[in-house]
Amino acid sequence: MSVIRSLKMNFAVWIKWIFGKKRARIGIYGPPNAGKTTLANRIVRDWSGMETGGISHIPHETRRALRTDGVVINANGSTVELDIVDTPGMATKIDFREFMAYGLEEEEAKRRAKEATEGVIEAIKWLEDLDGILLVMDSTEDPYTQVNVTVVGNMEARKLPLLIVANKMDLPRAAPSRIKAAFPQHPLVTISALEGSNIDDLYVAIARHFG
């Protein structure tokens, strides 16, 4: 193959990559402690080497939206560039006494509850500026909760592309089939964000769904 022909082919590949690559702003939503930030950290770390936020066993550790731009995912021949927004946990009620049960003093618990409430409002506002949603659910929990039903209904009303992530498949009580039965109208991928199980399947689904 001549040098000129080789350069032309490389240039064609480069042009195809630049103009064929799609970009989407994706929000990671779900109830508290479903594993949203663990998943955000997994995605960002796998494709950029960084992390987005801290995690804790105490609910509502993420109380402000955390945004990471320009995360490029290449999966199964498809490429998509994501601006990822890790949102605070969605809840219909936040009581400071819940935090005191984890050992927090009353003043700190009230501050955390106030910030968590503000975080829910911020997460709802972000829906106006997103191209799609990764909805993370804990596959060890009952999916028929007010939070899950409300969040799914809200996103359907906004006609936002939705991909459900059934997380925590590594735990003995995991039953992702319950989530699929609860929301059969949406695509679902079962993973463990903590251990990375099935994470490649999720990347393929993301590239296909949002690319």
Side-chain angles (χ1 to χ4, degrees):
M1 180 185 296
S2 69
V3 174
I4 294 177
R5 185 181 177 188
S6 177
L7 289 173
K8 285 182 177 179
M9 290 183 64
N10 289 336
F11 181 74
V13 170
W14 180 79
I15 289 294
K16 182 179 179 181
W17 185 83
I18 289 295
F19 292 100
K21 182 174 62 174
K22 297 181 179 179
R23 185 163 188 158
R25 181 173 294 160
I26 302 302
I28 300 180
Y29 280 73
N33 281 16
K36 298 179 301 300
T37 300
T38 301
L39 176 59
N41 283 337
R42 169 72 62 177
I43 295 172
V44 174
R45 183 171 62 245
D46 281 355
W47 297 100
S48 72
M50 302 183 297
E51 290 193 354
T52 61
I55 58 175
S56 169
H57 69 287
I58 302 176
H60 297 284
E61 179 65 19
T62 301
R63 299 184 294 284
R64 287 290 180 271
L66 304 172
R67 177 173 167 178
T68 306
D69 290 348
V71 179
V72 179
I73 292 178
N74 298 292
N76 201 32
S78 298
T79 300
V80 60
E81 183 174 358
L82 300 181
D83 297 337
I84 298 173
V85 182
D86 177 23
T87 66
M90 301 294 288
T92 55
K93 180 182 178 182
I94 299 173
D95 189 332
F96 75 90
R97 286 179 286 267
E98 296 177 13
F99 299 114
M100 293 181 67
Y102 286 89
L104 274 64
E105 297 295 331
E106 182 173 338
E107 182 178 352
E108 171 65 15
K110 288 182 175 179
R111 180 185 66 81
R112 194 181 185 102
K114 179 176 181 293
E115 292 176 351
T117 301
E118 293 170 348
V120 171
I121 295 171
E122 182 185 12
I124 293 172
K125 289 180 178 178
W126 263 107
L127 289 172
E128 302 290 343
D129 198 27
L130 295 174
D131 301 310
I133 302 293
L134 289 177
L135 180 55
V136 183
M137 297 186 189
D138 184 340
S139 61
T140 69
E141 302 288 343
D142 179 5
Y144 293 99
T145 65
Q146 185 177 358
V147 170
N148 286 342
V149 172
T150 300
V151 170
V152 169
N154 196 317
M155 294 171 185
E156 288 176 342
R158 295 171 184 269
K159 301 187 185 305
L160 280 170
L162 174 62
L163 177 61
I164 295 178
V165 181
N167 192 27
K168 303 188 182 182
M169 65 175 288
D170 54 297
L171 299 182
R173 291 187 296 111
S177 59
R178 291 186 299 179
I179 300 176
K180 184 63 177 175
F183 306 103
Q185 69 274 35
H186 295 292
L188 178 145
V189 179
T190 301
I191 68 160
S192 167
L194 181 64
E195 296 188 351
S197 305
N198 280 9
I199 198 69
D200 288 337
D201 292 344
L202 177 62
Y203 294 147
V204 170
I206 288 174
R208 181 173 61 246
H209 206 61
F210 302 118

